[in-house]
Amino acid sequence: MARITAGVASSHIPALGATMDHGRTQEPYWKDCFAGFDWTRAWEAAEKPDVVVLVFNDHATAFDMNFIPTFAIGCAERYKSADEGWGPRPVPDVIGDPDLAWHIAQSCILDEFDMTMVNKMDVDHGLTVPLSLMFGQPAAWPCKVVPLAVNVVTYPPPSGNRCYALGEAIARAVESYPEDINVQIWGTGGMSHQLQGPRAGLINAEWDNRFLDDLVNDPQRLRHIPHIEYLRETGSEGIEMVMWLIMRGALGRDVRALHRHYHVPASNTAVGHIVLEPVA
């Protein structure tokens, strides 16, 4: 049967993609930030996942105020890089896994999660930046991807508890899939940041690092953090961290941290990254 072998969480800041695309990762401002992903690139090359279920949020490219799904799963065979106003990123098309995606959709819906199935969409930096951080700049991505888009742009987003429970449902779906494949689940976005208003540039390193600690030590605390705490402590965009809880919920009760990285600032944002392995 299929198995979830690891969880990866990472920020998906668009400036990280632009820096990679323009060959500037070794500049003094960026060097230490990108060095934190070297371990993961080597580890991913050895792990060779067949599929990544990649949890991200769309930034008004595939969805807008006319259509706002809370949870949307991509069931297509291929996804192109979106033009977010300055041309598409020069990265390979993302190859989907329709069979697994439809299986997860069916399993989750019958498990009482209302998923929106999407058969055509372009994917923006929320999805392509994490792929570049973990895999570099290959001619083709080394695995298939099942995109899972979460609304964290328009209020109300789903609660952390609902996201964690969705991760548990995805784990049940993957475990019931008959193919023998190595599946990873990634949560993206965050960490603390605010992009507008009087608090623009807000970073709360203490809160972020406690969140990273408790992904391993106390995930039950994390699943009950209210929306207002994310807003107050981590800025208007910090709510993206609920997507990390989908990843964590899919890994089971106990995990071990294989790698961790935290860096500030990167384009006025806190960069967080962690690799987790389920403990049987």
Side-chain angles (χ1 to χ4, degrees):
M1 65 180 183
R3 61 208 181 279
I4 294 178
T5 59
V8 176
S10 174
S11 303
H12 60 214
I13 304 158
L16 298 177
T19 301
M20 288 182 280
D21 296 343
H22 291 92
R24 298 173 57 189
T25 61
Q26 297 306 301
E27 292 182 1
Y29 180 86
W30 291 108
K31 186 175 181 180
D32 290 344
C33 177
F34 282 98
F37 295 91
D38 291 344
W39 183 95
T40 309
R41 289 187 184 182
W43 175 81
E44 288 285 9
E47 287 293 302
K48 295 181 171 59
D50 298 301
V51 185
V52 167
V53 178
L54 204 159
V55 184
F56 73 110
N57 66 284
D58 176 77
H59 300 80
T61 51
F63 312 121
D64 59 24
M65 291 302 292
N66 293 310
F67 178 45
I68 309 169
T70 299
F71 299 119
I73 186 167
C75 298
E77 294 184 356
R78 180 181 295 264
Y79 309 89
K80 292 187 176 299
S81 180
D83 184 346
E84 299 180 64
W86 49 85
R89 286 192 65 214
V91 295
D93 287 355
V94 174
I95 305 303
D97 189 334
D99 290 342
L100 178 60
W102 278 104
H103 176 84
I104 293 173
Q106 173 180 287
S107 180
C108 286
I109 289 170
L110 296 180
D111 211 0
E112 302 186 354
F113 280 88
D114 298 326
M115 310 294 290
T116 299
M117 286 79 79
V118 183
N119 291 309
K120 183 179 180 180
M121 66 174 170
D122 292 343
V123 291
D124 66 18
H125 70 268
L127 186 138
T128 64
V129 165
L131 288 173
S132 295
L133 290 171
M134 309 312 159
F135 296 134
Q137 295 175 294
W141 300 120
C143 65
K144 296 179 179 179
V145 175
V146 174
L148 178 61
V150 180
N151 171 40
V152 290
V153 174
T154 301
Y155 194 84
S159 68
N161 187 55
R162 188 64 172 164
C163 287
Y164 195 100
L166 176 57
E168 294 175 321
I170 290 170
R172 291 190 290 270
V174 171
E175 289 168 2
S176 67
Y177 191 63
E179 292 188 25
D180 183 18
I181 55 173
N182 176 358
V183 179
Q184 292 183 2
I185 183 164
W186 297 4
T188 74
M191 295 188 91
S192 61
H193 62 300
Q194 179 152 328
L195 303 180
Q196 68 287 307
R199 296 202 307 165
L202 181 150
I203 291 173
N204 189 338
E206 181 179 357
W207 198 99
D208 288 343
N209 278 286
R210 187 182 178 199
F211 189 93
L212 290 168
D213 290 341
D214 285 346
L215 283 172
V216 179
N217 300 324
D218 192 4
Q220 297 306 311
R221 181 188 76 84
L222 300 183
R223 66 190 297 178
H224 298 296
I225 296 172
H227 289 152
I228 191 64
E229 181 174 337
Y230 284 102
L231 180 63
R232 181 182 64 244
E233 300 295 336
T234 73
S236 53
E237 279 71 47
I239 189 62
E240 290 179 346
M241 281 181 276
V242 298
M243 296 188 290
W244 294 33
L245 299 182
I246 297 177
M247 174 276 291
R248 181 60 186 87
L251 298 183
R253 188 183 69 177
D254 297 319
V255 299
R256 65 170 61 91
L258 302 181
H259 177 64
R260 175 169 166 171
H261 173 53
Y262 185 79
H263 178 84
V264 293
S267 185
N268 290 329
T269 305
V271 174
H273 173 45
I274 197 167
V275 180
L276 303 174
E277 178 181 66
V279 177

